Amino acid sequence: MDVNQLQYQHASSELIQPNEPPSGSQQQYQHNTYPPQQHLLQTPPDGGPSGAKPCNPVPPPNPPKIVERPKWNDTWATLLFAIFMVGFAVLAALGMPLTVASLRDGNLHIPDVSGSNSSIALGLSSTEIGGLIGVSVGTGLVFSATYFILMLSFPGPLIKFSYLMNVLMLVGMAAYLGYLRSYIAAAIFAVFAVLVALSYWVLRHRIPFSTIVLETVCKITRRFSGTLLVALGGVIFSAAYAVLWLGTVIGMAEWSNSKSLSSGVMIVILILLVFMSFWFNEVVRNTVHTAVCGTFATQPNSESVSLPSNHTTANSLGRALMSSFGSICFGSLLVSIIRTMKFIAQMAKNNCAQDGNIFCCIVATCFECFFSCMANILEYFNKYAYTEIAIYGKPYCDAGRDAWNLFKFKGIDLVINDILIGYVLGTGSFLSAILCAFAGFLYVTGNGGLGSMGTSVGVYVGVCLISAFIGMWLFLVLLEVVDAGTAATFVCLAEDPATIQRQQPRFFAAIQERFPEISWGMQTISY
């Protein structure tokens, strides 16, 4: 099969051998439904070689079927997203010139919805700002590269270290709060520390599986280095949009004030801008996730692929930005609506607190908590829905249905694997933030202060917070790639393990050796 001629909507054209030969130059795969399977334990008569533990049976291959032409899914969501982005461009054209004019004299004028006008004196030169950013970025990049090497070389010990560090942090926070005589908060953190330690004891037998998955994902990332560039581009794109969005918000507030618009109109404009920000950032993040998942899905059959790794990543990114972009916008829209509702509830809570209305404040807080939980659940669900989209090129609703089946049959396996690898990524993000904050502290100390702002405690706190934020954003590049690669690897193993066994026997044998009690196939449940 000539891979250059396959322009289907998902990356598994390089993942699985088709059931029948291609019938055209533009084709895509569509996933079949699994036949019912039984959870059996096949035990060799002699107990296996050298008394090895018996392994669970692997279901028969279930390769996807070739269809004629790739489809552009959920195009209405693409059009709606384009309309909102055009609207944002109009608001930016109105607001950004006013923000730039405010910055020319080194002062930032920020009017609020009440009509008052405050000014912030910056007092910093471009050299000082550039030096601080350069130190933070350099520290973050060096640490991210070092942590990636550690994940590649010592995945198992790193998982255990991440668990230990989380327990120690919770114990330390409990001790500190106890020192401050905040005993209730100290007891809460102590309980969380015990629960995390107990979870390690319960899940320790699953560490070998997560170890081989993390090690394999890091090896594929090293081979397909273009995935890091895609994630870096997403981070840079989001950061640039954040600067533009912040300037637009400040400028539109000043513009509305100059036009004597009512506070209600200003609030509506603010809510629209917040919704646009949520939607744009969700689309960028999910596009990176889909592109990276599509690249990782090529690995199980990569030995038969002659394309260079950058070409493979570019093809996957192209599918995410074209035929699957509507599905990405669709799922991102749902999360953005919920997060906007949470923002509205938060605004209502703050207004009620200022007015002293305790009952309304409690109701708004409940709504804020509800919408926050709903958004987090949907984001986690979308992670695997977009993985289905990346691998099989499905519309969002079909991908969501299959993702639900994945949670139904493999939900506990999936969550445990995400917890173990998530601890590693979360610890890396925290350490990156701490090191970059320390680098910013050293930069201010070495320069004897930061411009005309001096060496006050507020300067150090502000610099450390900004540097920590930069460190977390830089580590987000590695986090997104590893997280997406883990999701793609898990979905491929869960939905068609026989193909993985045939195409990557060493990887499959390593999983069976380290975790022989694993259950294979979508119709088998481990717990």
Side-chain angles (χ1 to χ4, degrees), residues 158-180:
L158 200 56
I159 292 176
K160 298 177 182 178
F161 168 77
S162 300
Y163 248 108
L164 176 62
M165 186 168 180
N166 277 272
V167 173
L168 292 178
M169 288 174 56
L170 291 171
V171 171
M173 182 61 69
Y176 176 71
L177 291 172
Y179 173 77
L180 297 179

Side-chain angles (χ1 to χ4, degrees), residues 221-272:
T221 301
R222 183 176 59 182
R223 176 177 180 182
F224 292 92
S225 57
T227 55
L228 294 173
L229 296 179
V230 171
L232 179 60
V235 170
I236 294 175
F237 208 51
S238 296
Y241 178 83
V243 173
L244 179 62
W245 181 85
L246 182 60
T248 301
V249 170
I250 295 173
M252 284 305 300
E254 188 172 350
W255 180 84
S256 300
N257 192 37
S258 65
K259 299 296 182 180
S260 300
L261 298 180
S262 65
S263 59
V265 175
M266 296 175 67
I267 291 175
V268 170
I269 294 175
L270 176 61
I271 291 175
L272 284 175

Side-chain angles (χ1 to χ4, degrees), residues 324-342:
S324 297
F325 190 70
S327 302
I328 294 173
C329 293
F330 187 4
S332 302
L333 173 63
L334 300 179
V335 176
S336 302
I337 291 175
I338 296 176
R339 292 215 174 274
T340 303
M341 296 300 295
K342 175 194 170 184

Side-chain angles (χ1 to χ4, degrees), residues 93-254:
L94 293 175
M96 278 302 296
L98 299 177
T99 303
V100 173
S102 299
L103 288 171
R104 286 176 180 172
D105 58 354
N107 295 296
L108 190 60
H109 306 283
I110 308 178
D112 56 24
V113 295
S114 64
S116 62
N117 197 328
S118 59
S119 178
I120 300 177
L122 300 180
L124 295 176
S125 65
S126 58
T127 303
E128 292 166 334
I129 296 176
L132 176 62
I133 294 176
V135 168
S136 302
V137 169
T139 304
L141 289 177
V142 170
F143 174 79
S144 297
T146 304
Y147 202 77
F148 177 76
I149 295 174
L150 291 176
M151 286 194 296
L152 182 62
S153 304
F154 311 102
L158 200 56
I159 292 176
K160 298 177 182 178
F161 168 77
S162 300
Y163 248 108
L164 176 62
M165 186 168 180
N166 277 272
V167 173
L168 292 178
M169 288 174 56
L170 291 171
V171 171
M173 182 61 69
Y176 176 71
L177 291 172
Y179 173 77
L180 297 179
R181 297 185 179 181
S182 181
Y183 298 115
I184 296 179
I188 293 175
F189 276 95
V191 169
F192 276 117
V194 173
L195 291 177
V196 172
L198 288 177
S199 70
Y200 173 81
W201 179 260
V202 173
L203 304 178
R204 69 189 188 281
H205 70 287
R206 302 302 301 265
I207 291 179
F209 174 75
S210 297
T211 298
I212 187 64
V213 171
L214 180 59
E215 181 182 359
T216 302
V217 167
C218 290
K219 288 180 179 179
I220 298 175
T221 301
R222 183 176 59 182
R223 176 177 180 182
F224 292 92
S225 57
T227 55
L228 294 173
L229 296 179
V230 171
L232 179 60
V235 170
I236 294 175
F237 208 51
S238 296
Y241 178 83
V243 173
L244 179 62
W245 181 85
L246 182 60
T248 301
V249 170
I250 295 173
M252 284 305 300
E254 188 172 350

Side-chain angles (χ1 to χ4, degrees), residues 267-285:
I267 291 175
V268 170
I269 294 175
L270 176 61
I271 291 175
L272 284 175
L273 285 170
V274 169
F275 170 73
M276 293 175 186
S277 175
F278 285 143
W279 198 4
F280 181 87
N281 286 302
E282 283 291 324
V283 168
V284 171
R285 184 167 63 90

